Amino acid sequence: MAARVKSGHVESDFGLRGHVRAFKSGDMSPHSKEPHNETETHAHLKQLAFIWAQAQGFSACAMEVMLPRCRYRADVAGYRSVPKQIGSTAVFECKQALCDLRRDNCHSASARKRLEAICNRRQVLETRLRTHYPNLQNGDSLFPEFDSENFTAIGHLGYARLLRDMRALQNRLYDCTKFDKLIRYRCANLFFLVLPEELFREPEIPVGWGALVESNGALTLKRKPTWRDTTAEDRIRLLQRIAIAGTRVLNRQLEIGWGQVAAEHCRSILAGIAIPATE
C-alpha cells in the first residue's frame, strides 16, 4: 500500500512536469506531426502492434512514447492493468528494413570485449612500428620524448584496417545499442520487435525480445519475450507517459493548441479555481 501511495505521488508530480515539458516543446500544438519521413510500411506495423497490444489486454496504449530511464522513444507502449496491484508494461519496436534492425542491435558486452581486443592489438602493433620506424615522431612537442607518432604516414595496411575496425566498433557501441539498453535499463516488463515476414531471421532477434511477424495484415508471435522485473514506480511512470502521448494525439485531432490550454490555466488561477498538483 505504501508503494502505491508513493507511486501516486510520483504520478502527480511527473504528470505536472510532463505537461510543462510538452508546453515548452510545443508537443501539444495541433500542428505537431508524426515522426518525419515515416514510411507507409512502418506506420502499418505500428498500427498492427497497437491493435495486437490491446487484444493481449494492454488496454492503455499510445504511439511515440518517451520511455523512462532513457532518452529513447518507443513506437508503441502499452500498460495492462491487474486487479488490486500495479499492472505490467510492454514496449513495441517496429523495423521495416534489415539495416534498420541491425543498426540498433549491438550487444554492449560482446562489443566492448571485441573493442578491448582491438585496442590491445593496436598497442602491440604500434610498439613494433616504433621499433622498425624510429623516425615517426611529428615533432609537435617541446620535448622529443613526448612527440606523437604518425603511424598512418607509413601506409601500413594492417594498421589502417585496425583503425577502421576500431572506429566502426566505437560508433556502433555508442550509437547502435538501443535494444540492449532498453533491456538493461528495464524500461518495461516485456519487449517486442515487430517485423515484416521477409525480414524475420531468428539470429537477428535481440536477446530477451519477443518477435511479432506481420503476414497477410496480421501479427504472429514467433518468439516469446523474456519477462523483466521493473519497479512499481517505473511502471506507473510509463503509464503516465502513455497518457501524455495519448493526450497529445487527441489535442492534435481536436485542434487544441498550447495557447488555448495556457489561457485556460491562467483563467483558472485568476478565478481561484485551479486544482493544486498535490494535497
Side-chain angles (χ1 to χ4, degrees):
M1 184 65 182
R4 188 173 303 175
V5 172
K6 180 180 178 181
S7 299
H9 175 73
V10 171
E11 178 179 1
S12 176
D13 180 57
F14 178 83
L16 179 60
R17 289 185 282 112
H19 282 293
V20 170
R21 285 197 298 269
F23 289 154
K24 291 181 179 179
S25 63
D27 284 344
M28 296 190 71
S29 168
H31 303 292
S32 297
K33 299 180 180 179
E34 294 298 322
H36 296 293
N37 303 322
E38 183 177 39
T39 64
E40 184 178 346
T41 301
H42 190 264
H44 179 61
L45 291 174
K46 285 168 60 176
Q47 181 177 352
L48 291 178
F50 194 79
I51 296 172
W52 190 90
Q54 293 179 74
Q56 303 303 313
F58 293 92
S59 55
C61 295
M63 298 182 184
E64 301 302 324
V65 179
M66 291 298 300
L67 298 174
R69 292 183 171 271
C70 67
R71 59 182 176 85
Y72 294 113
R73 186 190 300 265
D75 287 329
V76 177
Y79 176 88
R80 180 165 53 193
S81 60
V82 178
K84 298 182 180 181
Q85 58 180 321
I86 297 176
S88 57
T89 55
V91 164
F92 300 81
E93 280 294 306
C94 304
K95 297 298 179 183
Q96 61 176 342
L98 191 59
C99 60
D100 190 23
L101 170 62
R102 289 174 175 172
R103 184 184 61 209
D104 293 329
N105 195 15
C106 175
H107 188 263
S108 300
S110 58
R112 285 194 178 93
K113 288 182 180 179
R114 186 182 173 194
L115 181 61
E116 183 178 353
I118 290 178
C119 290
N120 291 337
R121 171 60 182 160
R122 178 189 178 185
Q123 292 177 357
V124 172
L125 187 56
E126 287 180 349
T127 300
R128 293 176 180 176
L129 291 176
R130 289 190 188 96
T131 302
H132 293 285
Y133 300 91
N135 298 321
L136 286 177
Q137 282 80 7
N138 283 322
D140 54 2
S141 175
L142 181 62
F143 303 99
E145 60 269 23
F146 294 109
D147 283 348
S148 61
E149 296 93 349
N150 185 12
F151 294 106
T152 58
I154 60 178
H156 193 283
L157 296 180
Y159 185 76
R161 184 171 59 251
L162 199 66
L163 290 183
R164 286 196 304 269
D165 291 344
M166 186 174 68
R167 292 193 199 99
L169 194 57
Q170 286 176 335
N171 291 336
R172 181 165 174 76
L173 181 62
Y174 299 130
D175 296 330
C176 306
T177 57
K178 180 178 182 179
F179 297 150
D180 184 50
K181 285 181 179 178
L182 293 185
I183 290 286
R184 287 192 290 111
Y185 295 165
R186 299 184 180 274
C187 298
N189 298 120
L190 299 170
F191 298 89
F192 295 91
L193 199 59
V194 186
L195 308 165
E197 186 175 23
E198 64 274 10
L199 196 63
F200 175 69
R201 296 178 176 88
E202 180 68 30
E204 299 280 355
I205 306 302
V207 177
W209 285 65
L212 289 168
V213 179
E214 185 271 337
S215 179
N216 298 322
L219 294 181
T220 302
L221 183 63
K222 293 290 188 179
R223 187 211 278 182
K224 293 183 178 181
T226 302
W227 174 270
R228 305 288 173 175
D229 289 327
T230 61
T231 64
E233 181 178 332
D234 284 339
R235 280 175 278 167
I236 290 296
R237 187 170 294 162
L238 182 54
L239 175 60
Q240 294 161 350
R241 298 191 179 195
I242 291 172
I244 291 173
T247 302
R248 183 173 61 241
V249 172
L250 191 58
N251 278 332
R252 183 166 56 247
Q253 293 175 351
L254 298 177
E255 297 186 351
I256 299 174
W258 172 83
Q260 294 171 269
V261 178
E264 177 61 26
H265 180 66
C266 293
R267 189 191 68 82
S268 299
I269 293 178
L270 293 175
I273 58 175
I275 300 176
T278 57
E279 294 182 1

